[in-house]
Amino acid sequence: LIVLAITNSGGNSSASSVNCQTVKTPKAKSEHLGAPAQAITAQTSYTATMRTTCGTIVITLDAAQYPKAVNNFVALANQGFYDNLAFVRAAKGFVVQAGGPDQTNASGPGYTVQAETPTTQAGQSAYPVGTVAWAKSGSDPSGSAGSQFFIVTGTQAKSLTPDYAVFGTVTKGLNVAKKIESFAPKSGDGPLTKPVVIQHVTIAPGSTPPSS
């Protein structure tokens, strides 16, 4: 049901150097939340630190360009929504996906918001490796955002049309995301062959840049 999407990022160590804990997929949760009010400041930089059972992924959130998309992620993370949620999809050379409260790629928070889609120059990919974006179903309008997101781990994402709302870029731990991708099934795309779980996401606002 959910189609997800996300190379110019930090974290150059290889996926082979990443060690993952052996864990079980957490129990499914049911969430029926309301869409969050717009609360972030577009002039402030934000960073998300995502602790997973394979290591830490640091995401720089682009509030200036994608304020609605970032606000949705910050609101969910600050509520602890992502705590104990498993990665639900790994696609070789493409993406890894998480954020389904029922531990599948078919669930969400109980709402959707309309967020910003990327603008792309001719010949460039809207989703270079390291991009983090909101997943949506094929029937959802362009820019729809719930709780499921994807991290672009390979160049196959260059074929995606710019319909998926972007909210950040991995600046540390891309090798962790690629390690998670390595648990893709033999078919190349589907549920992970080894559970990987998000333990907690911490949001840290940075300094406000001086106005020009």
Side-chain angles (χ1 to χ4, degrees):
L1 172 63
I2 302 295
V3 180
L4 51 190
I6 315 200
T7 228
N8 303 320
S9 65
N12 294 323
S13 297
S14 68
S16 61
S17 66
V18 176
N19 294 316
C20 299
Q21 300 175 38
T22 299
V23 296
K24 294 182 179 180
T25 300
K27 292 182 179 180
K29 297 187 284 186
S30 178
E31 299 285 358
H32 299 284
L33 306 177
Q38 190 69 23
I40 67 164
T41 302
Q43 290 74 30
T44 300
S45 60
Y46 296 84
T47 299
T49 300
M50 181 181 298
R51 289 192 296 106
T52 81
T53 53
C54 281
T56 299
I57 298 171
V58 178
I59 303 165
T60 296
L61 306 177
D62 191 348
Q65 188 168 0
Y66 307 114
K68 294 179 182 178
V70 169
N71 185 75
N72 188 53
F73 185 78
V74 168
L76 289 169
N78 282 342
Q79 294 177 70
F81 182 92
Y82 292 110
D83 295 3
N84 297 313
L85 291 190
F87 280 83
V88 297
R89 177 188 178 193
K92 292 181 180 179
F94 187 29
V95 299
V96 294
Q97 181 175 336
D102 71 352
Q103 313 297 354
T104 77
N105 68 349
S107 62
Y111 69 84
T112 58
V113 297
Q114 286 304 118
E116 305 88 356
T117 54
T119 55
T120 310
Q121 296 181 357
Q124 293 186 345
S125 169
Y127 306 98
V129 173
T131 303
V132 190
W134 291 112
K136 71 179 189 68
S137 69
S139 61
D140 287 334
S142 179
S144 294
S147 61
Q148 297 218 25
F149 64 90
F150 63 93
I151 302 173
V152 175
T153 53
T155 57
Q156 288 188 38
K158 66 183 180 182
S159 63
L160 288 173
T161 56
D163 295 320
Y164 304 90
V166 170
F167 60 91
T169 302
V170 173
T171 49
K172 184 178 180 180
L174 183 60
N175 58 328
V176 174
K178 289 188 174 183
K179 180 69 172 185
I180 298 169
E181 182 210 299
S182 74
F183 299 127
K186 289 183 178 181
S187 65
D189 187 348
L192 280 65
T193 58
K194 175 176 179 171
V196 178
V197 176
I198 297 171
Q199 297 167 313
H200 186 64
V201 179
T202 301
I203 304 294
S207 59
T208 302
S211 57
S212 56

